[in-house]
Amino acid sequence: AQTVTQSQPEMSVQEAETVTLSCTYDTSESDYYLFWYKQPPSRQMILVIRQEAYKQQNATENRFSVNFQKAAKSFSLKISDSQLGDAAMYFCAYREWSNYQLIWGAGTKLIIKP
Amino acid sequence: DAGVTQSPTHLIKTRGQQVTLRCSPKSGHDTVSWYQQALGQGPQFIFQYYEEEERQRGNFPDRFSGHQFPNYSSELNVNALLLGDSALYLCASSFSSYEQYFGPGTRLTVT
């Protein structure tokens, strides 16, 4: 069965600095999607970035970028120029190409220090 | 354009009771998925509805059932509530199998 592991329960970073959140996953599939979602205290899960496994180029969305290492089954999220509004729980999620359910990690709580 | 909406926001029920949670998908979306998120954990997939049918189900007992209406809105029903059913219930909508957009969730407390 596929699993997603986030080994950092909590991370903190100074405002305007860069932080990297880690995620590893286990799968025997070759075609899949990976996602990072953000869940602020308001509880609404917000999609931050997605990566298709067949794409070699790492996805980027403004200050958010990923380091996708398919062979190592690693998918880390880098947040540049951290802002107070980035404070939230961050979840890594996996979905097979031909499947519909998202499989989630346990989350990393990101604290931004002003 | 309204996003995914869920009702109610909060709910308190007693063990053994039944509950119905509701979800309206984002405009243009035809697929609804339900997740259970226990405190301090990642969400767990309950099931997904497409074309008014349950397309896929996670590892949840039959006490959890759902429905999708012709307008794509959906309900999640839970029978014979247990204390362990206390959680945040998230609804997500998508167009077919594309990326999922989430609602704000319903916080269910079972006493």
Side-chain angles (χ1 to χ4, degrees):
Chain A
Q2 292 81 8
T3 58
V4 177
T5 302
Q6 293 179 249
S7 59
Q8 307 154 315
E10 186 175 297
M11 292 282 285
S12 63
V13 63
Q14 206 72 35
E15 191 177 4
E17 297 290 304
T18 296
V19 63
T20 298
L21 308 184
S22 300
C23 173
T24 59
Y25 57 95
D26 185 25
T27 184
S28 57
E29 301 293 323
S30 57
D31 295 324
Y32 50 87
Y33 300 97
L34 292 163
F35 305 87
W36 279 98
Y37 280 87
K38 166 185 176 180
Q39 188 177 40
S42 67
R43 307 181 324 205
Q44 185 146 8
M45 202 71 80
I46 301 165
L47 178 64
V48 174
I49 200 165
R50 72 179 247 176
Q51 175 82 42
E52 289 86 347
Y54 68 85
K55 291 186 178 178
Q56 293 187 341
Q57 187 171 5
N58 289 323
T60 299
E61 288 287 341
N62 300 313
R63 297 183 295 107
F64 299 87
S65 61
V66 298
N67 184 4
F68 173 48
Q69 301 289 328
K70 190 172 184 179
K73 297 179 183 175
S74 170
F75 183 60
S76 61
L77 175 69
K78 186 171 84 170
I79 306 174
S80 303
D81 185 25
S82 297
Q83 300 175 1
L84 294 178
D86 294 335
M89 285 293 293
Y90 284 80
F91 290 94
C92 178
Y94 162 97
R95 204 200 93 193
E96 285 177 20
W97 190 262
S98 58
N99 203 323
Y100 305 109
Q101 68 169 312
L102 286 170
I103 299 171
W104 301 75
T108 296
K109 182 178 182 179
L110 179 63
I111 298 168
I112 311 295
K113 300 176 187 175
Chain B
D1 176 28
V4 181
T5 60
Q6 292 186 242
S7 63
T9 304
H10 297 91
L11 204 51
I12 300 174
K13 289 286 188 177
T14 304
R15 275 179 298 175
Q17 286 188 317
Q18 179 264 342
V19 68
T20 297
L21 310 182
R22 295 178 176 83
C23 172
S24 291
K26 183 177 169 65
S27 178
H29 287 184
D30 59 3
T31 303
V32 173
S33 304
W34 287 93
Y35 294 84
Q36 180 195 66
Q37 186 179 18
L39 197 61
Q41 298 182 20
Q44 299 287 319
F45 175 76
I46 302 175
F47 41 54
Q48 184 180 89
Y49 276 84
Y50 173 68
E51 292 189 342
E52 303 180 48
E53 298 279 336
E54 183 184 288
R55 177 156 70 175
Q56 187 172 358
R57 188 179 184 90
N59 189 24
F60 277 79
D62 292 346
R63 298 187 298 108
F64 290 77
S65 63
H67 189 77
Q68 185 179 34
F69 299 93
N71 67 352
Y72 306 118
S73 67
S74 177
E75 289 182 348
L76 164 64
N77 301 292
V78 187
N79 294 322
L81 284 167
L82 304 174
L83 294 179
D85 295 333
S86 294
L88 179 68
Y89 287 85
L90 296 169
C91 169
S93 74
S94 57
F95 175 69
S96 188
S97 60
Y98 290 173
E99 59 197 35
Q100 297 179 15
Y101 291 82
F102 284 79
T106 294
R107 172 72 68 190
L108 172 64
T109 301
V110 182
T111 61

